[in-house]
Each structure stands twice: as C-alpha cells, then as structure tokens.
C-alpha cells in the first residue's frame, strides 16, 4: 500500500474513529520500550491479512481515542533509528521486516507518528535466538486486537497461511506467472508441436509461454530504424495456465531476429500545437516499460545474452525507449511536459537523432518516427536531472559527437 501523506492521514482518522484495534493496526499513546516495540513489530509484520500494518503512536485510548503530541517523547524514533534497531535483532535467516516512520500533523498543534510495516513474502518473521522474553523460533501474529501471548505461538492455521504466502501458494495464476518470469533459467523449450515456439516452467509445467508469428502486422515502429536490419517481424505472445490464456501481448523480432522482446507500452503526449483535429497520429508518442510491470518482466525474460549480435541489438533497442522506475515517475515526466509544452517543443528542435529512415516511407510517417526519437532523448535528459544520475542507455544524437 503506497499512500501519500493525505491518504495516510485519512486512513489513520478512519482507523481511530473505530475506537478499536485490529489485525493490522495498533494504537499507542507514546513510543513503547524496545521490548514492547520489537514484539509489536513482529506480530504486525506477521498479520494473516497479509497487509501493510501500522502502529499509530499518539492515540490516547483512555481519553476517547483523542490525539496527543509525541514531539517530546524521549523514546521517539525516526526511520533510520528504527531500521538500525531492527537490524540489531537476531532475526532468523537474516530476514527483517521493512519498517519506516511517517510523522503526521494530525491536528493544528499535534504531531503523531505512524510506524508502517510493509507486507512481505519474507514473513513469517521470527527470532533465531531468544531476546526480550521472545522465544527463539516462535511465530507470533495478531488476532483482532491482541498479539500472540509471549509464552505461546500462533495457531496452526495462522502459521499455515503465513508459510503458504511465503511460498506463493496463495497467489493467483497471474501473480505466480510474474514470479516465475524472473527465473529465466527455470524455463525450457517444449517438445510439443505448436504454431510457434513454446516454453514451459520446469517446476510448474502447467505454465507455458508461446510466441506465434503474426503475419497480419507489417507496420514499422520508430525503434526499428536504430537496428541494422530495420524490417520488423511481429508475433503474438500467449501465457497459459493449463489451457487458459491468462496474459498476452505483442512481440517483435528486431535486427533480423537477433533479438526478441515483448513490445513496450506506448504513451501519447498532446501539446497545443501538436494535437489538433483530434487525430491520434498528430500527438507526440514514444514507447516505455515500467520496472516491475508484467510487460517489463516479460521483456527481461526474453533477454538471453547468447551472442554479441543479440547484445548489440538489445542495446540499440534500449536507447530508443524509456524505462521508468514506476508509474508515478512516468506521470510526473509527462505532466511536466504538458505544463511547459513550449519549452518542450523548442528543445526538440535541437535534438537530431542518428537515424536512417528510407524515403519509401511517407513524409508524415518519417516525421513521426523522428519526433518519437526526439521525445525519447528529451525524456532521457529529463530523467537524468530528476534522478540526479546518468541514464544508462541514451539515444545518440549529433550534438553528442560534436561535444
């Protein structure tokens, strides 16, 4: 659950208004001692609702759940201090809950702290050595508003849920497929006769990926023109669980088949001078992946690194697209472009990509291909400033060689 400050404040007020604690939230008037804090963190991190959990510090349960200021609390911790505290504890296997602290101005003159424990498949968390009266190997959780007793352990059913979640057994087929995609070495080519190339996941052969040539498509994408062999070869990608298609997208073989990938997502950016008539093709467009998305995981899955030819084609492809860290970053970039569209369009005029586009393509198509490459380089430059680090793959433009 990724909440901004406004959403978190609304959630806190909603939980406090119930006048009761629950499986994944707890109230404290003040910061607890280390002994109490550690046990609360373990129990909440192991909640069987499998949700982010919260310790809301600054709620006086004995005074009608009113808020009280925590700024003078001598036991108060920020994210760094609570992280250091957790990492000093003898958690089994070296797995620690992911915890952060968010300060909130909840009323005009009152500040409270929210300890946010992220839901994680690393759960269940437990100690490898006894400490603060917590037994080694004992798995603790919460039942409604109560922690597991310190001299006891979670119920059989609660422990079962936590371990099932840990091993992905509670995930939907699509969620399991996403996990399997990250294990590229776990896939093997099927000997079964099919329309295209089919592979299956060795540990769960009911999951298959099939790539079938799509002869209906013959068009070009702007990123084709960075490749040595510009001719596109289109495919359909089907992911099946047993015989059911649970996910699919287009695929493309680049540089004469030297490199294959799922096609990136496309974004359109309209500006006052470039979106008239309501014609989609008159908007600037470019292609992107978002890290962690299913399409990005599929793109990564097809990277084989089998030959220099593949690596070269991959590098050329990556220079012509954008890889965002998350959806928020994408929205931020596109919003900034639309807020200052004149600066954006002026900047594009100074970006001259190295790209050979044969004259057999129409003038409008050629202009569109060039504009997409210009947009990509512009965004790559913007991301360098936003992230304060070098963008890993940047489109080559003429001013690079001149400088």
């Amino acid at each position: 659950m990724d909440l901004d400050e406004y959403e978190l404040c609304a959630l806190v007020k909603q939980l406090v208004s119930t006048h009761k604690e629950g499986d994944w939230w707890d109230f404290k008037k003040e910061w607890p001692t280390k002994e109490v804090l550690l046990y609360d963190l373990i129990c909440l991190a192991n909640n069987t609702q499998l949700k982010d959990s919260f310790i809301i510090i600054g709620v006086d349960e004995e005074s009608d759940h009113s808020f009280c200021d925590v700024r003078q609390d001598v036991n108060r911790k920020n994210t760094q201090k609570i992280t250091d505290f957790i990492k000093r504890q003898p958690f089994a296997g070296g797995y620690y809950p992911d915890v952060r602290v968010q300060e909130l101005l909840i009323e005009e003159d009152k500040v409270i702290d929210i300890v946010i424990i992220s839901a994680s498949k690393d759960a269940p968390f437990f100690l490898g050595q006894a400490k603060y009266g917590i037994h080694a190997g004992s798995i603790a959780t919460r039942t409604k508003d109560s922690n597991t007793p310190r001299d006891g352990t979670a119920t059989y059913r609660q422990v079962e849920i936590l371990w099932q979640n840990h091993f992905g057994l509670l995930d939907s087929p699509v969620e399991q497929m996403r996990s399997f995609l990250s294990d590229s070495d776990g896939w093997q080519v099927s000997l079964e006769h099919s329309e295209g190339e089919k592979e299956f996941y060795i540990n769960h052969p009911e999951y298959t990926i099939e790539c079938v040539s799509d002869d209906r498509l013959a068009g070009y994408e702007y990123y084709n023109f960075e490749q040595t062999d510009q001719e596109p070869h289109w495919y359909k990608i089907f992911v099946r669980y047993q015989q059911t298609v649970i996910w699919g997208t287009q695929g493309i073989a680049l540089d004469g088949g030297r490199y294959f990938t799922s096609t990136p997502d496309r974004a359109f950016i309209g500006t006052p001078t470039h979106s008239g008539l309501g014609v989609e093709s008159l908007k600037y467009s470019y292609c992107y992946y978002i890290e962690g998305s299913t399409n990005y995981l599929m793109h990564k899955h097809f990277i084989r690194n089998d030959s220099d030819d593949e690596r070269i084609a991959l590098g050329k492809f990556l220079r012509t697209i954008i890889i965002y860290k998350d959806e928020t970053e994408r929205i931020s970039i596109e919003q900034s472009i639309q807020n200052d569209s004149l600066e954006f369009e002026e900047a594009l005029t100074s970006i001259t990509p190295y790209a050979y586009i044969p004259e057999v393509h129409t003038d409008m198509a050629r202009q569109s291909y060039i504009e997409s490459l210009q947009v990509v380089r512009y965004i790559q430059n913007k991301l360098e400033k936003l992230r304060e680090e070098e963008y890993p793959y940047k489109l080559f433009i003429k001013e690079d060689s001149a400088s």
Side-chain angles (χ1 to χ4, degrees):
M1 188 188 303
D2 189 12
L3 303 176
D4 60 28
E5 187 170 330
Y6 175 81
E7 293 170 326
L8 182 59
C9 188
L11 175 62
V12 167
K13 289 181 177 180
Q14 177 189 348
L15 295 177
V16 172
S17 71
T18 66
H19 285 205
K20 61 182 180 181
E21 297 172 336
D23 293 288
W24 48 274
W25 73 94
D26 189 25
F27 300 138
K28 301 288 183 190
K29 181 179 179 181
E30 57 192 14
W31 275 84
T33 62
K34 294 179 179 179
E35 294 87 344
V36 174
L37 177 61
L38 178 60
Y39 197 63
D40 281 341
L41 289 174
I42 292 173
C43 291
L44 285 164
N46 290 339
N47 77 83
T48 55
Q49 299 298 312
L50 311 176
K51 301 175 66 169
D52 289 354
S53 49
F54 305 87
I55 303 177
I56 303 171
I57 303 174
V59 177
D60 188 350
E61 296 177 82
E62 295 182 358
S63 183
D64 198 31
H65 289 78
S66 59
F67 293 110
C68 46
D69 194 88
V70 299
R71 281 175 287 191
Q72 303 305 316
D73 195 324
V74 295
N75 291 321
R76 195 180 185 204
K77 291 178 175 56
N78 57 22
T79 297
Q80 185 62 56
K81 287 182 178 179
I82 201 168
T83 299
D84 291 343
F85 167 70
I86 290 171
K87 289 189 174 181
R88 290 196 300 269
Q89 309 313 314
F91 279 94
Y95 293 105
Y96 304 90
D98 180 16
V99 179
R100 65 183 177 90
V101 179
Q102 176 71 55
E103 176 186 288
L104 280 182
L105 179 64
I106 199 72
E107 291 179 352
E108 187 175 343
D109 60 344
K110 293 176 182 176
V111 168
I112 65 172
D113 287 331
I114 316 300
V115 181
I116 304 170
I117 307 110
S118 298
S120 172
K121 286 189 177 296
D122 289 338
F125 299 100
F126 54 93
L127 301 185
Q129 301 173 21
K131 190 171 183 180
Y132 297 145
I134 305 171
H135 299 306
S138 176
I139 296 177
T141 183
R142 281 176 70 87
T143 302
K144 296 183 178 178
D145 61 349
S146 300
N147 291 339
T148 300
R150 283 178 180 257
D151 59 353
T153 186
T155 67
Y156 181 93
R157 178 55 181 158
Q158 289 172 326
V159 173
E160 182 182 41
I161 290 172
L162 292 169
W163 282 117
Q164 284 179 327
N165 182 61
H166 180 88
F167 290 111
L169 300 178
L170 300 179
D171 293 345
S172 69
V174 172
E175 291 170 330
Q176 290 197 36
M177 176 268 292
R178 284 171 46 82
S179 175
F180 299 157
L181 282 176
S182 302
D183 179 18
S184 294
D185 294 334
W187 293 81
Q188 183 172 311
V189 175
S190 174
L191 299 178
E192 175 189 356
H193 175 74
S194 64
E195 294 183 47
E197 182 175 303
K198 178 183 285 189
E199 51 185 332
F200 65 93
Y201 190 60
I202 296 172
N203 293 330
H204 292 275
E206 64 272 24
Y207 288 89
T208 61
I209 301 173
E210 185 175 19
C211 302
V212 180
S213 179
D214 190 353
D215 297 330
R216 301 171 304 167
L217 298 180
Y220 286 77
E221 281 288 1
Y222 71 89
Y223 47 75
N224 288 117
F225 301 106
E226 280 288 299
Q227 301 293 328
T228 303
D229 184 341
Q230 299 180 346
E231 190 75 21
H233 301 277
W234 297 97
Y235 289 79
K236 293 180 288 186
I237 299 173
F238 299 107
V239 179
R240 290 185 175 88
Y241 171 66
Q242 297 180 354
Q243 298 302 315
T244 302
V245 175
I246 59 173
W247 190 82
T249 190
Q250 286 184 328
I252 187 169
L254 296 169
D255 200 16
R258 294 176 179 85
Y259 170 64
F260 181 84
T261 187
S262 60
T263 56
D265 299 309
R266 176 176 294 280
F268 294 93
I269 301 174
T271 65
T273 61
H274 206 72
S275 59
L277 306 181
V279 179
E280 195 78 335
S281 61
L282 293 182
K283 294 184 179 180
Y284 293 103
S285 71
Y286 71 97
C287 293
Y288 69 93
Y289 294 112
I290 293 180
E291 290 183 10
S293 67
T294 304
N295 198 23
Y296 178 77
L297 295 176
M298 186 63 75
H299 151 73
K300 297 281 286 185
H301 171 77
F302 286 120
I303 298 176
R304 308 301 187 194
N305 285 318
D306 289 337
S307 67
D308 289 338
D309 285 341
E310 180 201 4
R311 286 187 283 272
I312 292 170
L314 169 61
K316 291 179 177 179
F317 172 67
L318 292 177
R319 287 197 294 268
T320 60
I321 63 168
I322 299 296
I323 297 181
Y324 289 111
K325 291 183 177 179
D326 51 40
E327 182 71 10
T328 300
E329 188 176 64
R330 181 186 73 83
I331 293 173
S332 173
I333 289 291
E334 292 183 6
Q335 190 64 55
S336 70
I337 290 174
Q338 292 180 335
N339 289 342
D340 200 353
S341 57
L342 293 180
E343 185 277 334
F344 164 68
E345 292 187 321
E346 183 178 342
L348 293 192
T349 62
S350 64
I351 297 175
T352 307
Y354 282 112
Y356 170 68
I357 302 177
E359 294 184 1
V360 295
H361 299 280
T362 67
D363 290 342
M364 180 176 288
R366 286 161 56 86
Q367 178 186 350
S368 176
Y369 298 146
I370 290 294
E371 285 177 346
S372 291
L373 292 169
Q374 290 173 319
V375 172
V376 165
R377 175 56 189 253
Y378 177 85
I379 294 177
Q380 290 169 346
N381 292 341
K382 292 276 285 186
L383 285 174
E384 284 192 331
K385 294 179 181 178
L386 178 67
R387 298 174 182 176
E388 297 183 341
E389 61 184 26
E390 184 177 356
Y391 191 84
Y393 290 91
K394 287 185 74 175
L395 181 71
F396 294 144
I397 61 175
K398 289 191 176 180
E399 71 176 34
D400 292 338
S401 58
S403 59

